[in-house]
Amino acid sequence: MSEGGYAIGLDFGTNSVRAIVVRATDGRELGAAVFNYPHGDMGVVTDRRDPHVARQHPADYLAGIEATVTEALNQAGSDVTANVVGIGVDTTGSTPIPVDADGESLAFKAEYSDNPNAMAWLWKDHTATGEAAEITEAA
């Protein structure tokens, strides 16, 4: 039986995604799970040729949300799933993802699946420092 409903919280970080299920009336935690991103080094795809590259494969986000929400809801119990009233999402920062004309991530296309330039660009990617300096200089 619902006790005012339940909420799922998702936190997409640099190395993992975390999910929590809480009772909405008092915040009591009923389930939680963590999924470490499998691509790259601790979830970060780098490039030996350019130390400023810091990317993530968007497939890790999809696998992570499925694994953590499923596990957290399983811990919370069967009556909770049908009574979820909200989902909150938090991320580390802006994370642009190159997409095609249909909005599909380029990293999901076979020809780009291993290309860091087709993946999500992390907050700690500093490959555009030269361009940023030019903008600052012009301003």
Side-chain angles (χ1 to χ4, degrees):
M1 172 169 186
S2 174
E3 298 176 29
Y6 303 92
I8 298 171
L10 290 162
D11 178 33
F12 288 88
T14 303
N15 309 109
S16 64
V17 61
R18 295 156 298 275
I20 188 169
V21 176
V22 298
R23 189 167 46 213
T25 56
D26 62 6
R28 179 174 172 248
E29 181 182 320
L30 301 170
V34 176
F35 178 87
N36 295 315
Y37 301 135
H39 285 90
D41 180 19
M42 294 177 47
V44 179
V45 176
T46 58
D47 186 335
R48 290 178 294 151
R49 296 164 294 170
D50 186 346
H52 300 294
V53 171
R55 314 283 165 79
Q56 286 181 322
H57 201 295
D60 291 353
Y61 304 147
L62 298 178
I65 193 171
E66 181 178 6
T68 58
V69 170
T70 299
E71 175 61 25
L73 284 171
N74 284 341
Q75 291 175 19
S78 60
D79 63 320
V80 171
T81 302
N83 295 296
V84 171
V85 297
I87 300 173
V89 179
D90 175 59
T91 64
T92 303
S94 61
T95 307
I97 300 175
V99 298
D100 65 12
D102 295 321
E104 181 180 358
S105 170
L106 295 181
F108 291 146
K109 297 185 172 297
E111 65 267 34
Y112 300 117
S113 64
D114 293 326
N115 184 337
N117 293 327
M119 298 179 189
W121 295 48
L122 286 177
W123 62 272
K124 61 194 240 172
D125 186 287
H126 298 297
T127 54
T129 55
E131 291 83 354
E134 286 181 34
I135 291 168
T136 300
E137 178 74 22

